[in-house]
Amino acid sequence: EITVISGEREAELAAKAVLSSFNEPFGISADLGGGSMELASVERTRVGERASCHLGSLRILDTTDGKREKMEELIKSELKNIRWLKDAAPPCIYAIGGGFRTLAKLHMKKTGYPLDIVHEYHMSRRAIGQMREKLMELSAEEIRDLPGMTEKRASTIVPTAMVLHQLMSTTGAPEVRFSVSGIREGFFFDLLDAKMQKEDALLASSKDLAALIGRAGTYGRELFEWMSPLFANEPLAWQRVRRALCKLSELAWSIDPNFRANWAYQRIIQSSLKGIDHKERLMLALAL
């Protein structure tokens, strides 16, 4: 059966995708599609205010006939109508959707970023503003020629950049973090009971990864407790990485010893672990 959901419900599911895949998120989730954008405030384990606005990238182009001055006016007007937005003062925007991910990929290529992972990639408001200005200077042909650009995204990348920049300017958010999780992940997260929803995303996904290779026993917990005296003043943020490390310590047990170190490193770099930023992912991969 098909259930048609409201804009606010879509905003809630997108926000729950952020809850499911970021560690203690705090800010505003923004899910940009072709016809609308859904916004919601998120704070660690809860979803707060929600809204849906007519700022889909295709809708913006259709409504303004592609005229950029009109795009700017439309975006400002739509965001102004969301009353709770101007007082939100979020420390971060969590950007969801293929258009936003395309912006992240462009910036990664431009800066030579060494880790080819979009999830948890972050950019400052200044960097988003600079990208917006640069894209607006390019012709349609030049945009299509950008590395990794598809025909589908080329036509909508300018309004996408304008929306994100204006959203950050309106709210004062200093940075944006990009998400590969969307309403699908939010929907499944919503089916979990309250206890499971509160599990640490990194530790839960580490446990799943360990189970895939038949190493989901008690050894990880024993190893964690055994080495804990070495880390008496360990920050809590590092402790959870070490706990994940112990869960995954036998990740390469079935690999020839000559290749285990490199294999384990690449497995962590390329895995879909959640609740871990890029610095923490590298810490985990190097430790293994």
Side-chain angles (χ1 to χ4, degrees):
E1 292 184 15
I2 295 174
T3 302
V4 179
I5 61 175
S6 67
E8 285 207 0
R9 174 61 173 160
E10 188 175 351
E12 179 187 7
L13 291 178
K16 288 188 173 181
V18 171
L19 298 186
S20 76
S21 56
F22 288 82
N23 182 45
E24 297 190 341
F26 185 29
I28 291 176
S29 64
D31 185 6
L32 180 70
S36 63
M37 180 170 68
E38 280 63 49
L39 301 169
S41 62
V42 292
E43 186 174 352
R44 295 181 175 86
T45 60
R46 62 178 290 273
V47 180
E49 300 279 5
R50 282 151 279 181
S52 179
C53 56
H54 297 158
L55 286 181
S57 52
L58 291 173
R59 185 187 293 236
I60 292 172
L61 288 172
D62 289 344
T63 305
T64 63
D65 292 325
K67 293 183 173 59
R68 292 175 180 177
E69 303 78 15
K70 290 185 177 180
M71 287 187 202
E72 199 77 57
E73 293 173 11
L74 175 64
I75 294 167
K76 287 181 179 179
S77 175
E78 283 289 324
L79 293 178
K80 189 176 180 180
N81 289 334
I82 304 173
R83 295 178 181 177
W84 56 267
L85 201 57
K86 64 178 181 179
D87 299 321
C92 180
I93 299 294
Y94 296 93
I96 302 167
F100 286 153
R101 289 196 297 273
T102 299
L103 284 177
K105 291 174 184 176
L106 278 175
H107 193 259
M108 291 165 76
K109 289 183 181 297
K110 175 180 176 292
T111 57
Y113 192 70
L115 199 60
D116 193 19
I117 297 177
V118 172
H119 192 72
E120 286 269 17
Y121 185 70
H122 62 91
M123 292 175 63
S124 66
R125 185 167 74 230
R126 182 173 177 229
I128 291 294
Q130 289 173 338
M131 177 168 276
R132 168 187 171 276
E133 292 300 320
K134 182 64 177 175
L135 287 169
M136 291 179 71
E137 292 172 2
L138 300 178
S139 66
E141 292 75 19
E142 288 173 323
I143 290 176
R144 281 196 294 270
D145 289 338
L146 290 171
M149 184 62 66
T150 65
E151 190 73 29
K152 176 183 176 183
R153 298 299 178 196
S155 62
T156 59
I157 194 68
V158 170
T160 296
M162 293 173 74
V163 167
L164 184 53
H165 180 254
Q166 190 58 50
L167 177 61
M168 296 180 78
S169 298
T170 299
T171 60
E175 74 165 6
V176 56
R177 289 184 177 264
F178 297 90
S179 173
V180 299
S181 299
I183 62 171
R184 174 183 56 190
E185 287 75 16
F187 172 80
F188 285 116
F189 181 77
D190 199 39
L191 298 178
L192 302 176
D193 60 44
K195 183 179 179 181
M196 289 188 75
Q197 287 185 358
K198 290 178 181 177
E199 284 186 14
D200 185 304
L202 171 60
L203 301 183
S205 53
S206 296
K207 180 181 177 181
D208 287 345
L209 190 54
L212 286 175
I213 49 111
R215 286 295 194 263
T218 61
Y219 177 70
R221 184 176 70 249
E222 293 167 359
L223 180 62
F224 176 83
E225 292 171 355
W226 175 78
M227 68 165 71
S228 286
L230 293 170
F231 301 95
N233 299 312
E234 181 181 36
L236 285 175
W238 288 16
Q239 185 182 101
R240 62 189 290 270
V241 176
R242 183 167 64 86
R243 194 179 291 275
L245 167 68
C246 292
K247 288 179 180 290
L248 295 166
S249 59
E250 296 183 284
L251 190 65
W253 74 277
S254 63
I255 304 301
D256 183 282
N258 290 317
F259 306 105
R260 280 180 185 168
N262 185 59
W263 189 93
Y265 176 88
Q266 294 298 337
R267 189 74 173 89
I268 293 301
I269 293 299
Q270 297 170 5
S271 74
S272 58
L273 289 170
K274 296 296 187 290
I276 185 170
D277 65 25
H278 291 189
K279 177 182 176 180
E280 292 166 338
R281 183 183 290 269
L282 284 169
M283 287 172 64
L284 182 56
L286 288 169
L288 275 177

